[in-house]
């Protein structure tokens, strides 16, 4: 049966340390309580060692585990858009200000978020025919009417709404003052 090649690459590090210390495969294997063949396969990245075997080898070779795993440490970036630095868009008098930008690699978790400022009497148009995904919004100030599948939903300051974007939908400011909302869309579409 062919051996499955390990996706983890500890072997080169283990071999390098063993050779620098002038230790043979046999000495390391005996000290770790495993076969010489297994140590050889691990060093050639032919097999992925069980964690207890890896810990034993690290102890015998006096290797810091952080050294073995440093290439597997992942940076999980924090994304910040400073106030006033988000991209801006205007469509038919309605202003959109980006607060979250999707990044390459977000995959199925990609989303975008923006503030939408709708002057009195104006309506959004992008969703008039529907599109893929889901939307969620929170009215920060003012009031609006969401039209979704021919139904009207009145939204006031502090109200939130979520819906399938596949159905036709529009958001209209029927109040006397500007309406401001925070809007989140999956997948991204407004600034893409």
């Amino acid at each position: 049966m062919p051996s499955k090649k390990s996706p983890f690459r500890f072997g080169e590090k283990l071999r390098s340390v063993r050779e620098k210390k002038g230790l043979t495969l046999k000495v390391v294997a005996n000290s770790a309580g495993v076969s010489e063949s297994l140590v050889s396969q691990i060093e050639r990245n032919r097999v992925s060692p069980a964690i207890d075997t890896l810990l034993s080898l690290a102890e015998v070779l006096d290797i810091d585990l952080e050294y073995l795993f440093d290439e597997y440490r992942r940076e999980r970036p924090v994304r910040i858009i400073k106030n006033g630095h988000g991209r801006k868009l205007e469509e038919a008098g309605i202003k959109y200000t980006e607060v979250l930008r999707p990044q390459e690699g977000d995959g199925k978790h990609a989303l975008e978020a923006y503030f939408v400022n709708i002057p009195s009497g104006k309506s959004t148009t992008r969703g008039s025919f529907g599109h893929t995904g889901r939307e969620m919004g929170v009215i920060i100030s003012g009031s609006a009417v969401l039209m979704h599948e021919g139904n009207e939903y009145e939204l006031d300051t502090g109200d939130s709404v979520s819906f399938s974007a596949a159905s036709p939908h529009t958001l209209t400011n029927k109040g006397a003052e500007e309406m401001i909302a925070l809007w989140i869309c999956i997948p991204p579409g407004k600034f893409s």
Side-chain angles (χ1 to χ4, degrees):
M1 177 192 294
S3 66
K4 183 178 172 186
K5 196 164 183 175
S6 170
F8 303 105
R9 314 282 300 171
F10 302 114
E12 291 92 353
K13 290 180 178 182
L14 293 170
R15 182 184 313 131
S16 173
V17 171
R18 179 182 62 76
E19 289 174 349
K20 282 180 185 169
K21 292 186 178 223
L23 300 172
T24 65
L25 282 171
K26 186 173 188 168
V27 167
V28 171
N30 287 339
S31 298
V34 297
S35 72
E36 191 176 336
S37 170
L38 179 61
V39 175
S40 174
Q41 289 180 344
I42 292 169
E43 284 187 356
R44 290 180 291 132
N45 294 306
R46 297 272 189 237
V47 296
S48 185
I51 191 70
D52 59 337
T53 302
L54 184 61
L55 292 173
S56 293
L57 291 172
E59 187 175 322
V60 167
L61 294 169
D62 193 29
I63 296 175
D64 188 343
L65 290 178
E66 205 165 303
Y67 168 71
L68 284 178
F69 288 97
D70 68 348
E71 66 195 78
Y72 304 107
R73 186 176 303 140
R74 291 185 181 160
E75 291 291 324
R76 289 177 174 76
V78 173
R79 301 174 190 153
I80 297 173
I81 295 178
K82 294 297 232 176
N83 186 23
H85 290 222
R87 294 181 290 182
K88 294 176 181 9
L89 219 222
E90 189 169 331
E91 296 175 346
I94 298 172
K95 295 177 184 169
Y96 300 88
T97 306
E98 180 181 56
V99 294
L100 175 69
R101 181 174 302 153
Q103 299 289 314
E104 190 174 320
D106 284 348
K108 69 179 182 179
H109 301 291
L111 59 92
E112 70 181 350
Y114 49 83
F115 288 114
V116 56
N117 295 57
I118 304 176
S120 179
K122 296 277 190 178
S123 296
T124 60
T125 58
R126 179 174 183 264
S128 299
F129 302 103
H131 54 87
T132 304
R134 291 199 58 80
E135 294 189 20
M136 180 267 174
V138 178
I139 308 300
I140 295 173
S141 66
S143 61
V145 173
L146 172 70
M147 286 290 295
H148 186 265
E149 293 186 340
N151 298 311
E152 283 193 11
Y153 301 91
E154 296 212 10
L155 302 168
D156 294 312
T157 300
D159 292 347
S160 62
V161 63
S162 66
F163 54 90
S164 167
S167 299
H169 55 279
T170 58
L171 191 62
T172 302
N173 180 353
K174 291 195 174 173
E177 62 185 60
E178 179 179 58
M179 189 278 314
I180 302 172
L182 173 63
W183 220 254
I184 299 169
C185 299
I186 300 171
K190 179 61 71 183
F191 287 90
S192 308

